[in-house]
Amino acid sequence: MKKLVATVVAFILACSLPLSGIAAEKQMFPDVPPTKHFAEAVNDLATRTIIGGYPDGTFKPGNSITRGQAAAIIAKMIGLETWNVKGQKFKDVPTSYGFYKAIAKMAEEGIIGGYPDGSFRPDEPIKRKNMAAILVKAFDLPRDGKVNNPFKGEVGITQDVLIIYKLGITSGTTPTTFSPNAPITRGQAAKMLVATEKVRVTNGVTLKAGDLGWDAITAVIDDQVNPSVFRAVRVAGKKDTLSQVQLLPLKEGTGGVVIWGKDKDLTDKYQKYYLHVKKVSGELRLTLEKTNDTLPAVVKLNTKYKFVKHISLATIDGEIVSDNVKVDGIEYNFTNIKVEKPGEYIASVRFDTGEETRYSVTVFESEDSFLYDGYAAEIGPVTNE
């Protein structure tokens, strides 16, 4: 019973010690002076009643935070509804446990996990690497980009550790060590939580397979429509059976992305989106627009490194589509042209040598792409009949 009481009061949540009498004061606790590097974070979270102190009015910032306490605090910070949880998730977290609902809900969401023996060990101090894993999943932190590992040689350096290090949520314990298995203090935890809030994805969009009615996202096609406007990052979802894509703004404009996935019957699924990026109150904001649009195909003509002077395009029935087709780029021996609509065409190419060559061009619908698909094959010299 003493252990349960200690657990409940060790890190007070909304249902615990009222803070209204002291919340307005800058220094919330006598043992957290403004000179402490975590003071601002502690005062912020205490003012919002996310965390509280001990009955004697102190915060005890040097005490360790437990796994159960961390789960309860983070569940509250991200707004998880815990009233409807059912069943015991871990053998050592009964329904009577003080943080049962938060732990159970976090487990249901796939944010936290237990040990192979079915336990959660809620009263053990949480390790730095475990806190990193929870923060990345709970706050949907950006997972893109490679991070140079400055902690080489240390056991326990996970991708989650490198993510929070890259984002500046925490630093190493030294320039070359992270101490992934070291416990986290209450003061350190407060600072990490506030820092995490500041870097979470708020100006982008996270697409989850479940939101689309799918079981998984299998691919992201993000290089076809103005890819410089946004960054698309596919990441593991909160549940192993799902995946998700983070879409982050880079600059103002409109881009496009195609999401590939599979439903529960393993049927292939595709969804296209326009991504509109605008600056709102000085910050880039990204919004999505579903679409079934298909944009012109880029068709490659094998012009064999010859200099192209003129291209015309006609249907196979001889109807002129364009008597002056613009070149859309040159890649090695290929000259690219855009074709607006599906169909069968003949492209006539005149080179700087005076030689003329015809190409058959085929353009068709492709539901897994933002662009019509197409290909070309050389027919032979242009003949004047």
Side-chain angles (χ1 to χ4, degrees), residues 182-204:
I184 294 176
T185 67
R186 287 160 55 84
Q188 292 168 345
K191 188 173 182 179
M192 289 176 69
L193 290 167
V194 171
T196 301
E197 279 189 317
K198 292 178 180 178
V199 300
R200 72 189 302 186
V201 179
T202 58
N203 61 342

Side-chain angles (χ1 to χ4, degrees), residues 46-61:
T47 299
R48 291 189 277 155
T49 68
I50 299 293
I51 62 174
Y54 287 84
D56 63 0
T58 63
F59 183 71
K60 305 188 191 310

